[in-house]
Amino acid sequence: MPQNLVSPDWSNIPPPHDDGAAAHLIGMSLPPLSLPSTAGDTVNLMQLPRTTVIYIYPMTGPADGALPDGWDQIPGARGCTPQSCAFRDHYDDLRNAGAERVFGLSTQDTAYQTEAAARLHLPFPLLSDEKLAFADALRLPRFDAGGKTLIKRVTLIIRATRIAQVFYPIFPPDRNAADVLQWLKDNRI
């Protein structure tokens, strides 16, 4: 895997700013949707366990490292692989802190996500919102790159199908899993 996908120099990447586009999410109920998963099933969002973490990211870079033109200069775009690897590395700690399920979610199709999940050795499934049904239902913030509409990076902690905590904006992305872990420890049920 190209080194720059795993550990970019964050000082050369513009951080995102808080545009308020996720302020409405706390307290919202999850939509009655089922999304395809890299585990080969569909996940019914209304049947999630008591505490679930969903980190939403724009797109995982391909194995060859090719990203859309100007990717590094889009605030908040860069860092999907480091973020996913951090959730992988903190997975057991997140579970021990009360996260019954952890998911990554992007607009990439399940076939693409399955390759990425295997390549990154993720111990949790990725969910595909290829048709933007989840993004539309929650009015998630977006941007366009490489001819595609992508969801801005946001992490949700869900308790009993309601959004209890939102992390947005997230920068640098490789610290997000540790921030989620700390929140779970500080807010145990």
Side-chain angles (χ1 to χ4, degrees):
M1 179 177 323
Q3 183 65 18
N4 64 346
L5 282 182
V6 177
S7 56
D9 180 355
W10 299 117
S11 67
N12 292 326
I13 297 170
H17 69 280
D18 189 349
D19 57 6
H24 66 283
L25 292 170
I26 294 222
M28 283 186 76
S29 293
L30 291 184
L33 294 172
S34 293
L35 296 174
S37 143
T38 56
D41 60 356
T42 57
V43 173
N44 182 330
L45 300 177
M46 296 306 293
Q47 295 178 349
L48 292 176
R50 196 163 66 181
T51 301
T52 301
V53 174
I54 302 177
Y55 72 95
I56 301 160
Y57 58 94
M59 61 174 273
T60 305
D64 66 7
L67 294 165
D69 288 341
W71 186 252
D72 284 358
Q73 297 312 307
I74 300 170
R78 188 57 178 262
C80 302
T81 297
Q83 184 182 26
S84 291
C85 290
F87 274 95
R88 175 198 65 205
D89 296 347
H90 286 291
Y91 179 71
D92 289 336
D93 296 328
L94 291 163
R95 300 265 307 168
N96 289 334
E100 295 169 65
R101 298 289 304 266
V102 175
F103 297 102
L105 181 145
S106 76
T107 60
Q108 293 166 300
D109 65 42
T110 304
Y112 187 100
Q113 289 180 328
T114 299
E115 183 281 325
R119 175 172 33 96
L120 300 175
H121 308 288
L122 301 181
F124 50 82
L126 300 177
L127 303 176
S128 175
D129 189 26
E130 184 178 11
K131 296 183 178 166
L132 295 169
F134 183 75
D136 286 345
L138 292 181
R139 299 184 325 273
L140 294 176
R142 306 161 209 216
F143 67 98
D144 293 316
K148 297 179 182 176
T149 299
L150 305 171
I151 306 170
K152 289 185 179 181
R153 189 178 318 281
V154 59
T155 297
L156 309 174
I157 298 178
I158 295 125
R159 291 212 162 131
T161 72
R162 285 200 177 277
I163 300 170
Q165 179 63 20
V166 175
F167 295 84
Y168 178 87
I170 296 167
F171 191 81
D174 58 350
R175 281 204 320 240
N176 183 224
D179 293 340
V180 169
L181 176 60
Q182 189 60 55
W183 189 93
L184 289 170
K185 287 178 177 179
D186 292 345
N187 295 277
R188 288 190 183 268
I189 292 180

